Amino acid sequence: MQVSVEVEKISKVERRLTIVVPAEKVEQAYTIQINRFAKNANIKGFRPGKAPISYIQQRFGEDARREAFSEVIQESLREAINSEHLSPVSRPHVQPKIMTANQPLEFIASFEVLPEIENVKHDIQNIEKLIVEITAEDIDNVITQLIRQYTRWNLVEREAKVKDRIVIDYHSIYEGVADTEHKIENFPFELGSKIMIPGFEEGLLGVKSGEERSLSLSYPADFNVKERAGKPVDFAVVVKQVFEAEAPELNGKFIEKLGIKSGLEEDLRKQVRQTLEHERDRLLKEKLKEQVFRQLLEQNPIEVPASLVAEEAKNIHDEIYPAHQHHDHHQHSEHETATFNDIAKKRVALGLLIAELAKKGEMKPDKNRVLARIAEIASVYESPKEVIEWLSADKQRLAGIESQVMEDQVLDKLMEAVTVTEKVMSYAELKGIRTQ
């Protein structure tokens, strides 16, 4: 009673099995099921298990036949997958062809598998290594931002000056046409912040609440709407409110409020430096990975299973929209995840290439690096020890961290044969911060 299996290679990641199970095996399964029904059936007029088998077949035959088919399909599919040394990465789609009593059972099972990757090309070239030093100015900027976060804004009736916050309504008048349809209302900004086009903020110095002012300016040469770049424009502005900043002093009390128990500015600056260095190192590693892995993907175009891409797109969606922001974190419409398909495809392909490089190099996650990574993640929480225990106890979370470490190890290995050029850059440039 040999099961017949035919394997079709639909694509590099799709397989279709046509499986034929002998009638004798199907009937054996049916006999087992009908006997189970006979044993367990509670039929009026008969003691349990004593009803005639012909009566049981008449009443429960279809159910027994259906369960027998299901059992045979599952068992024969499992055996076929094992015998053909296949590893499905998607749930098999089963399509019966012949399901008739006393006849061979024939069905088709389709599923996806991982692509076969023979040799991974890794001729990595033209890698730029960024050199970024954290300066006193970078630390000053962070402390200035911390002070701004705790700044109170008090409503005043005097004329506005630099560093005041004003709230305005405004619209543009371009080539004599007032664009009231796109009027901006209740727009707050600080005079001197230079977020508006040149001359806009300067033109509002000295305004008071309730005042109307007309500004005759020009769009900058690099304005994002090309047809208006460099051309004259007027703005009609109504000033709603003027606020004055009440900033906290950088003293012991304020520093303690920021979480520095000593209250010393020296300790605050030390903590800020450590935070900036940590963020710098993370960004530098990401930018290095981006260069190396982009070339790896370009040199090794591979077909990836659609099921893995769909799953990764869901993961990306959930990274961007956390559970508390999403109506149902486990339900994803095609519309919700379609935006992320391209990046998901790259992630899946990159993961497969990294896994293959690790396999060829007989690499395993370095335990010390895994522990260091866990400690690094936990360090930003109030109770690092508890977080370390939580991360270490869950196999799925631990596997994710090991995957990150393996990615770093593969990156290190690839970089051994790469010639790099160094480029000095400021921290602000690294972060993409616009400096004034």
Side-chain angles (χ1 to χ4, degrees):
M1 293 190 295
Q2 185 69 34
V3 174
S4 169
V5 181
E6 180 184 336
V7 182
E8 293 180 80
K9 188 175 181 180
I10 306 303
S11 72
K12 292 182 178 179
V13 295
E14 295 176 282
R15 300 292 182 270
R16 181 164 62 200
L17 306 186
T18 300
I19 300 174
V20 181
V21 183
E24 294 88 341
K25 189 169 185 176
V26 179
E27 292 308 309
Q28 285 180 1
Y30 169 73
T31 299
I32 292 172
Q33 291 297 328
I34 201 68
N35 287 336
R36 182 177 64 81
F37 273 94
K39 181 179 179 180
N40 298 323
N42 187 8
I43 300 174
K44 188 176 180 179
F46 297 97
R47 286 181 297 167
K50 298 299 182 180
I53 195 67
S54 57
Y55 182 84
I56 296 296
Q57 289 175 331
Q58 181 181 0
R59 183 167 177 179
F60 300 106
E62 288 187 10
D63 292 338
R65 178 73 60 187
R66 188 161 46 249
E67 293 194 19
F69 283 147
S70 177
E71 182 181 283
V72 170
I73 287 173
Q74 291 182 40
E75 181 182 345
S76 57
L77 176 57
R78 184 172 58 253
E79 291 176 356
I81 288 173
N82 290 335
S83 66
E84 298 296 329
H85 306 290
L86 298 170
S87 299
V89 294
S90 66
R91 185 171 184 174
H93 173 69
V94 175
Q95 186 178 8
K97 292 182 68 176
I98 300 177
M99 294 181 67
T100 307
N102 299 309
Q103 293 292 323
L105 169 64
E106 184 176 352
F107 66 94
I108 294 173
S110 304
F111 49 83
E112 291 183 308
V113 297
L114 295 178
E116 297 175 1
I117 305 174
E118 297 181 0
N119 293 304
V120 180
K121 299 177 182 177
H122 48 87
D123 182 21
I124 311 300
Q125 299 177 355
N126 303 321
I127 297 300
E128 190 174 66
K129 182 179 180 181
L130 302 178
I131 307 298
V132 178
E133 180 184 355
I134 302 301
T135 65
E137 183 181 359
D138 295 323
I139 297 172
D140 290 340
N141 289 337
V142 172
I143 293 176
T144 298
Q145 288 300 317
L146 289 171
I147 291 173
R148 288 171 64 86
Q149 288 176 22
Y150 287 88
T151 293
R152 294 176 57 185
W153 293 94
N154 302 316
L155 187 65
V156 294
E157 294 301 325
R158 60 166 174 77
E159 294 181 346
K161 57 185 180 180
V162 174
K163 294 187 178 179
D164 282 347
R165 175 179 291 177
I166 63 174
V167 179
I168 63 173
D169 294 345
Y170 74 95
H171 66 269
S172 66
I173 304 171
Y174 179 69
E175 295 183 342
V177 179
D179 188 9
T180 55
E181 183 180 348
H182 297 97
K183 180 179 180 180
I184 306 298
E185 297 183 325
N186 299 316
F187 179 70
F189 70 99
E190 294 172 36
L191 293 174
S193 62
K194 297 184 180 180
I195 65 170
M196 309 298 282
I197 68 171
F200 193 101
E201 295 173 34
E202 292 84 349
L204 294 177
L205 287 171
V207 296
K208 296 181 68 174
S209 177
E211 183 177 341
E212 297 182 14
R213 187 168 288 192
S214 178
L215 306 176
S216 295
L217 308 172
S218 293
Y219 286 115
D222 60 350
F223 192 60
N224 56 3
V225 181
K226 292 183 179 180
E227 57 269 22
R228 296 193 178 191
K231 294 185 177 181
V233 61
D234 293 334
F235 289 94
V237 182
V238 177
V239 180
K240 308 289 283 293
Q241 294 168 311
V242 178
F243 293 90
E244 180 181 61
E246 184 184 339
E249 293 183 20
L250 186 62
N251 54 26
K253 184 177 180 181
F254 177 66
I255 291 172
E256 287 180 19
K257 191 174 182 178
L258 295 175
I260 306 300
K261 294 181 179 180
S262 69
L264 298 175
E265 183 178 346
E266 178 185 354
D267 291 340
L268 171 62
R269 297 183 72 85
K270 182 179 179 181
Q271 179 63 52
V272 171
R273 176 176 288 278
Q274 290 176 349
T275 301
L276 291 179
E277 288 176 344
H278 177 79
E279 177 65 3
R280 174 201 61 189
D281 294 344
R282 184 188 69 81
L283 289 171
L284 291 178
K285 180 186 289 185
E286 288 303 315
K287 289 188 177 296
L288 187 64
K289 280 184 179 180
E290 183 182 339
Q291 295 177 76
V292 174
F293 291 157
R294 183 180 65 249
Q295 293 190 38
L296 193 65
L297 286 170
E298 289 172 352
Q299 294 173 19
N300 298 275
I302 59 173
E303 187 175 350
V304 294
S307 56
L308 295 186
V309 173
E311 189 63 32
E312 186 60 28
K314 293 176 184 178
N315 293 336
I316 297 171
H317 172 274
D318 293 346
E319 289 172 12
I320 297 174
Y321 304 105
H324 65 275
Q325 297 178 2
H326 194 245
H327 62 279
D328 189 338
H329 205 49
H330 300 287
Q331 299 295 325
H332 304 79
S333 68
E334 289 186 15
H335 175 73
E336 286 177 324
T337 58
T339 311
F340 310 111
N341 282 343
D342 286 344
I343 188 172
K345 186 176 180 179
K346 290 179 181 178
R347 277 196 188 183
V348 172
L350 184 59
L352 295 175
L353 293 172
I354 288 173
E356 186 63 22
L357 286 170
K359 179 182 176 182
K360 291 289 177 63
E362 299 182 348
M363 300 169 64
K364 293 183 179 180
D366 184 283
K367 292 183 179 180
N368 291 329
R369 294 178 71 160
V370 171
L371 293 174
R373 177 63 181 144
I374 291 173
E376 180 186 354
I377 296 171
S379 65
V380 300
Y381 293 89
E382 290 185 4
S383 303
K385 186 177 179 181
E386 293 180 9
V387 176
I388 290 173
E389 292 175 355
W390 179 75
L391 290 172
S392 304
D394 186 275
K395 290 184 178 180
Q396 186 172 355
R397 287 190 290 265
L398 188 58
I401 294 171
E402 289 176 341
S403 177
Q404 295 173 17
V405 169
M406 180 57 70
E407 186 176 285
D408 290 342
Q409 290 177 220
V410 169
L411 177 66
D412 292 345
K413 190 68 177 176
L414 291 174
M415 289 299 296
E416 289 178 1
V418 175
T419 301
V420 301
T421 57
E422 294 185 349
K423 178 182 179 181
V424 178
M425 177 182 287
S426 69
Y427 180 74
E429 289 174 314
L430 177 67
K431 288 281 289 183
I433 300 172
R434 184 168 66 101
T435 57
Q436 298 178 8

